[in-house]
Amino acid sequence: MKRCKILEIEIQNLKLSENLVVFEEQKQIPERESRKILSNDEPLIFVGGIPRSGTTLMRAILDAHPNVRCGGETMMIPNFLSWQASWRKSDWANNTGITRKVMDDAVSAFMMEIIAKHGEMADRLCNKDPYTALWLPTLQRLYPNSKFILMIRDARAIIHSMIERKVPVVGYNISDEKQMFRNWNTEIRKMTTQCMMAGGNCLKVYYERLIQRPKDEIERICQFLDIEFDERMLKHEEFIGVEVALSSQEFSASQVKNSINNEPLTSWFDCFDMELLSKLDRLAPFLKLLGYDTESDKPSYDYFASDDFFEFRSVYS
Ligand SMILES: Nc1ncnc2c1ncn2[C@@H]1O[C@H](COP(=O)(O)OS(=O)(=O)O)[C@@H](OP(=O)(O)O)[C@H]1O
């Protein structure tokens, strides 16, 4: 990476405004009132995608809705999903009477407790841990009434953000940009395929459209989630510390505290070598498939804001 605008580095340099909720030591968090385990029929909302795709902004917008609570990342749900899957593969499970149904009931109850009790109670509970987007079929089976929002963003912006903001993401080697693009391609292929297979229960949200046409996109999202649009969702930043809990430990806290803005669209311009950019269609063919202009090193994102954006999308995009 070269000639880059220096982005604010996450965590270390965070300058948090006073109304940010900064979670103190674990022991100082008051115990949540004890509640019954919720049924797995709850219409949960999941927000996921590749990290740096605008997932925190998306969940903050939802948190600003009076009937929805996402809260911060649990940091454990995707790991737990991966762990429970590895147990299912072992012989141990076959010889103990722990059937798939027993395991499903236990896993869904465990995750529901975490999702419900790590924040305030709300009519619609939501979880934002980016890599749940690799587990859509499992989540659909465990929570049949759940809905998934898949955030999609230009891989060049994502990789630039990981490198410049020094955000460590497992699977992305910041000293090998080609590897990062290849990994993005593998992950987004899996996520978009699973989203497509989830039919009407998964909605793809393009970051570039969300920040350019926020009202239209938020209304579309509300329709998908079957909740009423609320004007507060357009000014999430005013509710930080009230409806929108934001921890200093979240990698995007320093940006999410701002109103929705277009600045991150172009912050990656002039940062990659032309030689690398010229190989993008081979390294990350999904970028073009999803509608991004891979010909230009300074693409326009007007297309994502256009009125007919949804009319000519391919089955994948
Ligand atoms: N208010 C607002 N307006 C416009 N864009 C915003 C906003 N809040 C967050 N963001 C951008 O979201 C990017 C971080 O994405 P994620 O939240 O998915 O990252 S992470 O999962 O927490 O690592 C990150 O992108 P980069 O700026 O390119 O790093 C943020 O700028």
Side-chain angles (χ1 to χ4, degrees):
M1 187 152 295
K2 50 163 198 178
R3 301 191 308 275
C4 253
K5 282 179 216 150
I6 305 295
L7 295 180
E8 190 176 359
I9 294 173
E10 300 288 2
I11 303 289
Q12 298 95 316
N13 293 345
L14 270 190
K15 292 179 204 79
L16 296 175
S17 63
E18 277 170 16
N19 61 346
L20 285 186
V21 173
V22 179
F23 293 110
E24 298 300 334
E25 292 291 301
Q26 198 70 10
K27 59 181 181 319
Q28 290 174 293
I29 297 178
E31 282 295 316
R32 304 286 168 198
E33 83 226 45
S34 94
R35 309 179 195 104
K36 275 195 262 170
I37 295 179
L38 294 168
S39 128
N40 61 356
D41 288 334
E42 281 293 309
L44 292 178
I45 302 165
F46 290 95
V47 176
I50 293 174
R52 312 314 293 168
S53 303
T55 54
T56 317
L57 174 63
M58 185 69 251
R59 78 90 177 160
I61 291 169
L62 292 173
D63 272 327
H65 190 288
N67 300 338
V68 180
R69 190 272 290 160
C70 303
E73 288 185 30
T74 70
M75 312 265 178
M76 66 175 295
I77 299 279
N79 288 342
F80 180 71
L81 283 163
S82 166
W83 170 82
Q84 60 86 36
S86 69
W87 271 37
R88 286 172 198 260
K89 280 188 209 137
S90 71
D91 286 345
W92 171 84
N94 298 334
N95 302 325
T96 54
I98 300 176
T99 60
R100 173 157 139 158
K101 166 99 176 67
V102 172
M103 193 72 176
D104 277 0
D105 289 348
V107 166
S108 59
F110 178 86
M111 294 200 312
M112 183 64 89
E113 281 288 279
I114 301 286
I115 293 168
K117 293 188 180 172
H118 85 119
E120 296 304 320
M121 203 50 183
D123 288 348
R124 292 292 294 273
L125 291 171
C126 156
N127 165 260
K128 179 283 221 197
D129 280 295
Y131 277 126
T132 53
L134 291 172
W135 295 95
L136 254 71
T138 307
L139 292 172
Q140 286 281 286
R141 195 178 71 241
L142 297 178
Y143 306 110
N145 296 326
S146 63
K147 298 245 167 135
F148 203 98
I149 294 175
L150 174 63
M151 293 302 298
I152 296 176
R153 187 183 182 192
D154 189 327
R156 293 163 289 195
I158 288 179
I159 288 165
H160 168 254
S161 174
M162 287 178 190
I163 295 173
E164 285 299 313
R165 294 200 194 272
K166 303 193 183 350
V167 179
V169 181
V170 174
Y172 290 83
N173 175 358
I174 58 162
S175 55
D176 184 350
E177 290 169 11
K178 286 184 183 158
Q179 181 276 340
M180 295 179 87
F181 279 103
R182 281 196 208 98
N183 200 48
W184 174 87
N185 197 71
T186 305
E187 291 186 337
I188 204 70
R189 185 179 57 212
K190 192 164 177 192
M191 289 175 182
T192 49
T193 304
Q194 290 188 356
C195 186
M196 187 176 67
M197 287 165 72
N201 294 323
C202 177
L203 186 76
K204 285 181 288 224
V205 174
Y206 286 82
Y207 171 81
E208 292 80 6
R209 186 167 175 86
L210 176 66
I211 63 174
Q212 294 188 93
R213 300 274 299 253
K215 185 154 192 286
D216 292 340
E217 270 308 88
I218 294 170
E219 282 177 345
R220 188 176 75 96
I221 290 162
C222 286
Q223 201 174 12
F224 166 70
L225 297 176
D226 210 11
I227 57 176
E228 253 178 64
F229 170 75
D230 191 297
E231 289 288 337
R232 279 173 269 198
M233 302 172 88
L234 286 168
K235 30 189 180 185
H236 72 276
E237 71 284 359
E238 291 178 15
F239 300 94
I240 290 175
V242 193
E243 292 275 341
V244 185
L246 192 63
S247 150
S248 61
Q249 294 307 303
E250 287 190 74
F251 276 113
S252 300
S254 63
Q255 298 106 58
V256 173
K257 68 181 165 77
N258 301 319
S259 57
I260 298 174
N261 65 87
N262 288 350
E263 215 177 293
L265 278 186
T266 56
S267 52
W268 66 269
F269 285 7
D270 290 326
C271 291
F272 294 101
D273 286 324
M274 292 304 283
E275 192 250 339
L276 177 83
L277 293 180
S278 70
K279 293 192 175 126
L280 270 191
D281 289 348
R282 266 181 287 147
L283 292 170
F286 255 69
L287 197 53
K288 193 170 186 175
L289 206 62
L290 291 172
Y292 293 94
D293 174 4
T294 53
E295 305 291 312
S296 170
D297 62 333
K298 291 188 176 64
S300 157
Y301 290 104
D302 291 354
Y303 164 63
F304 289 85
S306 62
D307 287 338
D308 58 1
F309 177 69
F310 292 111
E311 279 175 33
F312 305 105
R313 312 295 296 159
S314 74
V315 66
Y316 266 119
S317 61

Short mmCIF file of all heavy atoms in Angstrom, two decimals, residues 7 10 49-58 73 128 130 151 153 157-158 160-162 165 167 169 207 211 236-237 250-265 267, ligand 1:
data_model
loop_
_atom_site.label_atom_id
_atom_site.label_comp_id
_atom_site.label_asym_id
_atom_site.label_seq_id
_atom_site.Cartn_x
_atom_site.Cartn_y
_atom_site.Cartn_z
N LEU A 7 -5.57 7.05 8.09
CA LEU A 7 -6.86 7.00 8.77
C LEU A 7 -6.61 6.93 10.27
O LEU A 7 -5.56 6.47 10.70
CB LEU A 7 -7.64 5.75 8.35
CG LEU A 7 -8.07 5.66 6.90
CD1 LEU A 7 -8.81 4.37 6.67
CD2 LEU A 7 -8.95 6.83 6.51
N GLU A 10 -7.78 2.62 14.98
CA GLU A 10 -8.81 2.23 15.93
C GLU A 10 -8.24 1.96 17.31
O GLU A 10 -7.08 1.63 17.46
CB GLU A 10 -9.52 0.97 15.43
CG GLU A 10 -10.17 1.12 14.09
CD GLU A 10 -11.41 1.99 14.13
OE1 GLU A 10 -11.75 2.51 15.20
OE2 GLU A 10 -12.02 2.14 13.08
N GLY A 49 -21.43 -9.69 7.79
CA GLY A 49 -20.71 -9.34 6.56
C GLY A 49 -19.23 -9.41 6.87
O GLY A 49 -18.83 -9.73 7.99
N ILE A 50 -18.44 -9.07 5.90
CA ILE A 50 -17.00 -9.05 6.15
C ILE A 50 -16.69 -7.83 7.02
O ILE A 50 -17.26 -6.75 6.78
CB ILE A 50 -16.24 -9.04 4.81
CG1 ILE A 50 -16.49 -10.40 4.12
CG2 ILE A 50 -14.74 -8.82 5.02
CD1 ILE A 50 -15.95 -10.53 2.74
N PRO A 51 -15.85 -7.98 8.05
CA PRO A 51 -15.53 -6.81 8.88
C PRO A 51 -15.08 -5.62 8.01
O PRO A 51 -14.46 -5.80 6.97
CB PRO A 51 -14.38 -7.32 9.77
CG PRO A 51 -14.61 -8.79 9.85
CD PRO A 51 -15.16 -9.19 8.50
N ARG A 52 -15.42 -4.42 8.44
CA ARG A 52 -15.17 -3.13 7.78
C ARG A 52 -16.17 -2.86 6.64
O ARG A 52 -15.91 -2.04 5.75
CB ARG A 52 -13.72 -3.02 7.23
CG ARG A 52 -12.63 -3.41 8.19
CD ARG A 52 -12.78 -2.84 9.56
NE ARG A 52 -12.62 -1.39 9.61
CZ ARG A 52 -12.94 -0.64 10.67
NH1 ARG A 52 -13.46 -1.21 11.75
NH2 ARG A 52 -12.77 0.66 10.64
N SER A 53 -17.31 -3.57 6.66
CA SER A 53 -18.33 -3.36 5.62
C SER A 53 -19.42 -2.41 6.07
O SER A 53 -20.44 -2.29 5.39
CB SER A 53 -18.99 -4.69 5.25
OG SER A 53 -18.06 -5.62 4.84
N GLY A 54 -19.27 -1.81 7.22
CA GLY A 54 -20.32 -0.92 7.73
C GLY A 54 -21.30 -1.62 8.65
O GLY A 54 -22.42 -1.15 8.85
N THR A 55 -20.88 -2.74 9.23
CA THR A 55 -21.80 -3.52 10.07
C THR A 55 -22.16 -2.77 11.37
O THR A 55 -23.28 -2.87 11.85
CB THR A 55 -21.19 -4.90 10.42
OG1 THR A 55 -19.89 -4.72 11.01
CG2 THR A 55 -21.05 -5.77 9.19
N THR A 56 -21.20 -2.01 11.91
CA THR A 56 -21.48 -1.29 13.16
C THR A 56 -22.44 -0.13 12.89
O THR A 56 -23.35 0.13 13.68
CB THR A 56 -20.18 -0.76 13.80
OG1 THR A 56 -19.18 -1.77 13.73
CG2 THR A 56 -20.39 -0.40 15.26
N LEU A 57 -22.24 0.55 11.77
CA LEU A 57 -23.16 1.62 11.39
C LEU A 57 -24.58 1.05 11.24
O LEU A 57 -25.55 1.60 11.74
CB LEU A 57 -22.71 2.28 10.09
CG LEU A 57 -23.66 3.32 9.50
CD1 LEU A 57 -23.82 4.51 10.44
CD2 LEU A 57 -23.18 3.79 8.13
N MET A 58 -24.65 -0.08 10.56
CA MET A 58 -25.97 -0.72 10.34
C MET A 58 -26.65 -1.04 11.65
O MET A 58 -27.83 -0.76 11.85
CB MET A 58 -25.77 -2.00 9.51
CG MET A 58 -27.05 -2.70 9.11
SD MET A 58 -27.95 -1.74 7.90
CE MET A 58 -29.34 -1.18 8.86
N GLU A 73 -20.83 -6.00 19.61
CA GLU A 73 -20.51 -7.38 19.23
C GLU A 73 -20.38 -8.23 20.49
O GLU A 73 -19.82 -7.77 21.49
CB GLU A 73 -19.17 -7.43 18.48
CG GLU A 73 -19.26 -6.87 17.10
CD GLU A 73 -17.96 -7.03 16.32
OE1 GLU A 73 -17.22 -8.00 16.56
OE2 GLU A 73 -17.70 -6.17 15.46
N LYS A 128 -25.11 -8.35 16.18
CA LYS A 128 -24.15 -7.96 15.14
C LYS A 128 -22.79 -8.52 15.50
O LYS A 128 -22.12 -8.06 16.41
CB LYS A 128 -24.12 -6.44 15.03
CG LYS A 128 -23.15 -5.88 13.99
CD LYS A 128 -21.69 -5.89 14.40
CE LYS A 128 -20.89 -4.70 14.04
NZ LYS A 128 -19.43 -4.93 14.11
N PRO A 130 -19.86 -9.74 12.76
CA PRO A 130 -19.77 -9.86 11.30
C PRO A 130 -19.76 -11.30 10.76
O PRO A 130 -20.47 -11.61 9.80
CB PRO A 130 -18.46 -9.13 10.99
CG PRO A 130 -18.35 -8.10 12.06
CD PRO A 130 -18.92 -8.73 13.30
N MET A 151 -24.19 -7.10 4.96
CA MET A 151 -23.56 -5.86 4.48
C MET A 151 -22.51 -6.21 3.42
O MET A 151 -21.71 -7.12 3.61
CB MET A 151 -22.88 -5.12 5.63
CG MET A 151 -23.82 -4.56 6.67
SD MET A 151 -25.05 -3.40 6.03
CE MET A 151 -24.01 -2.09 5.38
N ARG A 153 -19.55 -4.38 0.78
CA ARG A 153 -18.81 -3.13 0.49
C ARG A 153 -17.66 -3.44 -0.46
O ARG A 153 -17.15 -4.59 -0.49
CB ARG A 153 -18.26 -2.56 1.81
CG ARG A 153 -17.62 -1.19 1.67
CD ARG A 153 -17.03 -0.69 2.97
NE ARG A 153 -16.46 0.65 2.81
CZ ARG A 153 -15.68 1.23 3.71
NH1 ARG A 153 -15.37 0.62 4.84
NH2 ARG A 153 -15.20 2.44 3.47
N ALA A 157 -12.00 -0.83 -0.43
CA ALA A 157 -12.20 0.00 0.77
C ALA A 157 -12.04 -0.83 2.04
O ALA A 157 -11.46 -0.37 3.03
CB ALA A 157 -13.59 0.64 0.72
N ILE A 158 -12.52 -2.04 2.00
CA ILE A 158 -12.43 -2.93 3.18
C ILE A 158 -10.97 -3.21 3.52
O ILE A 158 -10.53 -3.08 4.67
CB ILE A 158 -13.19 -4.26 2.90
CG1 ILE A 158 -14.70 -4.01 2.89
CG2 ILE A 158 -12.80 -5.34 3.90
CD1 ILE A 158 -15.53 -5.25 2.59
N HIS A 160 -8.26 -1.64 2.50
CA HIS A 160 -7.60 -0.40 2.90
C HIS A 160 -7.89 -0.09 4.37
O HIS A 160 -7.00 0.28 5.14
CB HIS A 160 -8.10 0.73 1.99
CG HIS A 160 -7.72 2.09 2.46
ND1 HIS A 160 -8.62 2.95 3.05
CD2 HIS A 160 -6.53 2.75 2.48
CE1 HIS A 160 -8.02 4.07 3.39
NE2 HIS A 160 -6.75 3.97 3.05
N SER A 161 -9.13 -0.26 4.76
CA SER A 161 -9.53 0.03 6.15
C SER A 161 -8.82 -0.91 7.13
O SER A 161 -8.31 -0.47 8.16
CB SER A 161 -11.05 -0.11 6.27
OG SER A 161 -11.46 0.02 7.59
N MET A 162 -8.77 -2.20 6.80
CA MET A 162 -8.08 -3.15 7.70
C MET A 162 -6.61 -2.77 7.88
O MET A 162 -6.07 -2.79 8.98
CB MET A 162 -8.13 -4.57 7.13
CG MET A 162 -9.48 -5.24 7.21
SD MET A 162 -9.38 -6.89 6.45
CE MET A 162 -11.12 -7.34 6.39
N ARG A 165 -6.23 1.19 9.35
CA ARG A 165 -6.70 1.36 10.72
C ARG A 165 -6.16 0.29 11.65
O ARG A 165 -6.53 0.20 12.82
CB ARG A 165 -8.23 1.37 10.77
CG ARG A 165 -8.87 2.55 10.08
CD ARG A 165 -10.28 2.73 10.58
NE ARG A 165 -11.07 3.62 9.76
CZ ARG A 165 -11.14 4.94 9.92
NH1 ARG A 165 -10.43 5.52 10.86
NH2 ARG A 165 -11.91 5.67 9.13
N VAL A 167 -6.75 -2.90 11.87
CA VAL A 167 -7.78 -3.75 12.48
C VAL A 167 -7.41 -5.21 12.18
O VAL A 167 -7.39 -5.61 11.03
CB VAL A 167 -9.18 -3.44 11.88
CG1 VAL A 167 -10.23 -4.36 12.49
CG2 VAL A 167 -9.53 -1.99 12.09
N VAL A 169 -7.92 -8.87 11.48
CA VAL A 169 -9.03 -9.75 11.13
C VAL A 169 -8.45 -11.10 10.74
O VAL A 169 -7.61 -11.19 9.83
CB VAL A 169 -9.87 -9.16 9.96
CG1 VAL A 169 -11.03 -10.08 9.62
CG2 VAL A 169 -10.39 -7.76 10.30
N TYR A 207 -23.21 -1.04 1.35
CA TYR A 207 -22.75 0.11 2.13
C TYR A 207 -22.80 1.38 1.30
O TYR A 207 -23.26 2.43 1.77
CB TYR A 207 -21.32 -0.19 2.62
CG TYR A 207 -20.62 0.97 3.26
CD1 TYR A 207 -20.86 1.30 4.59
CD2 TYR A 207 -19.70 1.74 2.54
CE1 TYR A 207 -20.20 2.38 5.18
CE2 TYR A 207 -19.04 2.81 3.12
CZ TYR A 207 -19.30 3.13 4.44
OH TYR A 207 -18.65 4.19 5.02
N ILE A 211 -25.10 4.69 2.51
CA ILE A 211 -24.64 6.02 2.93
C ILE A 211 -25.01 7.12 1.91
O ILE A 211 -25.01 8.28 2.26
CB ILE A 211 -23.12 6.04 3.26
CG1 ILE A 211 -22.27 5.73 2.06
CG2 ILE A 211 -22.81 5.12 4.41
CD1 ILE A 211 -20.78 5.88 2.34
N HIS A 236 -28.79 8.32 14.06
CA HIS A 236 -28.37 7.39 15.12
C HIS A 236 -27.40 8.06 16.10
O HIS A 236 -27.39 7.76 17.28
CB HIS A 236 -27.72 6.14 14.51
CG HIS A 236 -26.36 6.41 13.94
ND1 HIS A 236 -26.16 6.90 12.68
CD2 HIS A 236 -25.13 6.30 14.50
CE1 HIS A 236 -24.88 7.09 12.48
NE2 HIS A 236 -24.22 6.72 13.56
N GLU A 237 -26.56 8.97 15.55
CA GLU A 237 -25.50 9.58 16.37
C GLU A 237 -26.06 10.36 17.56
O GLU A 237 -25.39 10.51 18.57
CB GLU A 237 -24.57 10.45 15.51
CG GLU A 237 -25.15 11.75 14.98
CD GLU A 237 -26.11 11.59 13.81
OE1 GLU A 237 -26.36 10.46 13.35
OE2 GLU A 237 -26.65 12.62 13.35
N GLU A 250 -15.15 -1.29 20.57
CA GLU A 250 -15.59 -1.60 19.21
C GLU A 250 -14.71 -0.86 18.21
O GLU A 250 -14.48 0.34 18.34
CB GLU A 250 -17.06 -1.23 19.02
CG GLU A 250 -17.95 -2.21 19.76
CD GLU A 250 -19.40 -2.01 19.39
OE1 GLU A 250 -19.78 -2.40 18.28
OE2 GLU A 250 -20.14 -1.50 20.22
N PHE A 251 -14.30 -1.61 17.20
CA PHE A 251 -13.33 -1.06 16.27
C PHE A 251 -13.83 0.15 15.49
O PHE A 251 -13.03 0.93 15.00
CB PHE A 251 -12.86 -2.15 15.31
CG PHE A 251 -11.75 -2.98 15.88
CD1 PHE A 251 -11.95 -4.31 16.19
CD2 PHE A 251 -10.51 -2.42 16.14
CE1 PHE A 251 -10.92 -5.07 16.73
CE2 PHE A 251 -9.48 -3.17 16.68
CZ PHE A 251 -9.69 -4.50 16.98
N SER A 252 -15.15 0.30 15.35
CA SER A 252 -15.65 1.41 14.55
C SER A 252 -16.21 2.55 15.37
O SER A 252 -16.82 3.47 14.82
CB SER A 252 -16.71 0.92 13.57
OG SER A 252 -16.15 -0.05 12.74
N ALA A 253 -16.01 2.51 16.69
CA ALA A 253 -16.65 3.52 17.55
C ALA A 253 -16.31 4.94 17.11
O ALA A 253 -17.17 5.82 17.11
CB ALA A 253 -16.24 3.29 19.00
N SER A 254 -15.06 5.17 16.70
CA SER A 254 -14.65 6.54 16.37
C SER A 254 -15.36 7.06 15.12
O SER A 254 -15.45 8.26 14.92
CB SER A 254 -13.13 6.62 16.18
OG SER A 254 -12.75 5.82 15.09
N GLN A 255 -15.86 6.17 14.26
CA GLN A 255 -16.59 6.64 13.07
C GLN A 255 -18.09 6.62 13.26
O GLN A 255 -18.81 7.47 12.75
CB GLN A 255 -16.24 5.78 11.85
CG GLN A 255 -14.79 5.80 11.46
CD GLN A 255 -14.11 4.50 11.85
OE1 GLN A 255 -14.51 3.44 11.43
NE2 GLN A 255 -13.09 4.59 12.68
N VAL A 256 -18.57 5.62 14.02
CA VAL A 256 -20.02 5.48 14.16
C VAL A 256 -20.61 6.64 14.96
O VAL A 256 -21.79 6.95 14.82
CB VAL A 256 -20.36 4.11 14.79
CG1 VAL A 256 -21.83 3.98 15.11
CG2 VAL A 256 -19.96 3.00 13.84
N LYS A 257 -19.80 7.29 15.75
CA LYS A 257 -20.34 8.41 16.52
C LYS A 257 -20.67 9.61 15.60
O LYS A 257 -21.35 10.54 16.02
CB LYS A 257 -19.37 8.82 17.63
CG LYS A 257 -18.06 9.44 17.15
CD LYS A 257 -17.22 9.77 18.36
CE LYS A 257 -15.81 10.04 18.07
NZ LYS A 257 -15.25 11.15 17.55
N ASN A 258 -20.25 9.56 14.34
CA ASN A 258 -20.58 10.62 13.39
C ASN A 258 -21.90 10.32 12.67
O ASN A 258 -22.33 9.17 12.59
CB ASN A 258 -19.48 10.73 12.31
CG ASN A 258 -18.14 11.03 12.93
OD1 ASN A 258 -18.05 11.84 13.85
ND2 ASN A 258 -17.10 10.36 12.46
N SER A 259 -22.48 11.37 12.09
CA SER A 259 -23.68 11.13 11.28
C SER A 259 -23.26 10.37 10.02
O SER A 259 -22.07 10.33 9.66
CB SER A 259 -24.34 12.46 10.92
OG SER A 259 -23.40 13.27 10.25
N ILE A 260 -24.22 9.81 9.33
CA ILE A 260 -23.92 9.05 8.10
C ILE A 260 -23.24 10.00 7.12
O ILE A 260 -23.76 11.08 6.83
CB ILE A 260 -25.22 8.49 7.49
CG1 ILE A 260 -25.88 7.51 8.47
CG2 ILE A 260 -24.94 7.81 6.15
CD1 ILE A 260 -27.24 6.99 8.03
N ASN A 261 -22.08 9.61 6.63
CA ASN A 261 -21.33 10.51 5.72
C ASN A 261 -20.65 9.71 4.61
O ASN A 261 -20.44 8.50 4.73
CB ASN A 261 -20.30 11.32 6.51
CG ASN A 261 -19.23 10.45 7.11
OD1 ASN A 261 -18.22 10.14 6.49
ND2 ASN A 261 -19.45 9.97 8.36
N ASN A 262 -20.32 10.45 3.52
CA ASN A 262 -19.77 9.80 2.32
C ASN A 262 -18.25 9.70 2.29
O ASN A 262 -17.68 9.15 1.35
CB ASN A 262 -20.18 10.59 1.07
CG ASN A 262 -21.65 10.42 0.76
OD1 ASN A 262 -22.30 9.57 1.38
ND2 ASN A 262 -22.16 11.19 -0.17
N GLU A 263 -17.62 10.24 3.28
CA GLU A 263 -16.16 10.31 3.25
C GLU A 263 -15.46 8.95 3.02
O GLU A 263 -14.53 8.87 2.21
CB GLU A 263 -15.66 10.95 4.54
CG GLU A 263 -14.44 11.80 4.32
CD GLU A 263 -14.01 12.48 5.61
OE1 GLU A 263 -14.77 13.35 6.09
OE2 GLU A 263 -12.96 12.11 6.11
N PRO A 264 -15.92 7.89 3.70
CA PRO A 264 -15.20 6.61 3.53
C PRO A 264 -15.30 6.00 2.13
O PRO A 264 -14.60 5.05 1.82
CB PRO A 264 -15.86 5.68 4.56
CG PRO A 264 -16.53 6.58 5.54
CD PRO A 264 -16.96 7.78 4.76
N LEU A 265 -16.17 6.60 1.25
CA LEU A 265 -16.29 6.04 -0.10
C LEU A 265 -14.96 6.05 -0.83
O LEU A 265 -14.60 5.11 -1.52
CB LEU A 265 -17.30 6.85 -0.92
CG LEU A 265 -18.79 6.57 -0.77
CD1 LEU A 265 -19.57 7.41 -1.78
CD2 LEU A 265 -19.10 5.10 -0.96
N SER A 267 -11.77 6.98 0.50
CA SER A 267 -10.53 7.09 1.29
C SER A 267 -9.45 6.10 0.82
O SER A 267 -8.27 6.29 1.13
CB SER A 267 -10.81 6.94 2.79
OG SER A 267 -11.54 5.79 3.02
N1 LIG B 1 -21.41 7.33 10.32
C1 LIG B 1 -20.79 6.66 9.35
N2 LIG B 1 -20.88 7.06 8.06
C2 LIG B 1 -20.22 6.41 7.08
N3 LIG B 1 -19.45 5.32 7.31
C3 LIG B 1 -19.34 4.89 8.57
C4 LIG B 1 -20.01 5.50 9.65
N4 LIG B 1 -19.72 4.82 10.78
C5 LIG B 1 -18.90 3.83 10.43
N5 LIG B 1 -18.66 3.85 9.11
C6 LIG B 1 -17.69 3.05 8.36
O1 LIG B 1 -17.82 1.66 8.56
C7 LIG B 1 -16.52 1.06 8.41
C8 LIG B 1 -16.34 0.03 9.52
O2 LIG B 1 -17.12 -1.09 9.24
P1 LIG B 1 -17.53 -2.16 10.38
O3 LIG B 1 -18.31 -1.48 11.42
O4 LIG B 1 -18.20 -3.29 9.68
O5 LIG B 1 -16.13 -2.64 10.93
S1 LIG B 1 -15.93 -3.70 12.14
O6 LIG B 1 -16.69 -4.86 11.85
O7 LIG B 1 -16.33 -3.05 13.37
O8 LIG B 1 -14.48 -3.97 12.13
C9 LIG B 1 -15.47 2.16 8.50
O9 LIG B 1 -14.86 2.35 7.23
P2 LIG B 1 -13.41 3.04 7.03
O10 LIG B 1 -13.60 4.49 7.33
O11 LIG B 1 -13.08 2.82 5.59
O12 LIG B 1 -12.46 2.39 7.99
C10 LIG B 1 -16.31 3.34 8.92
O13 LIG B 1 -15.87 4.59 8.45
#
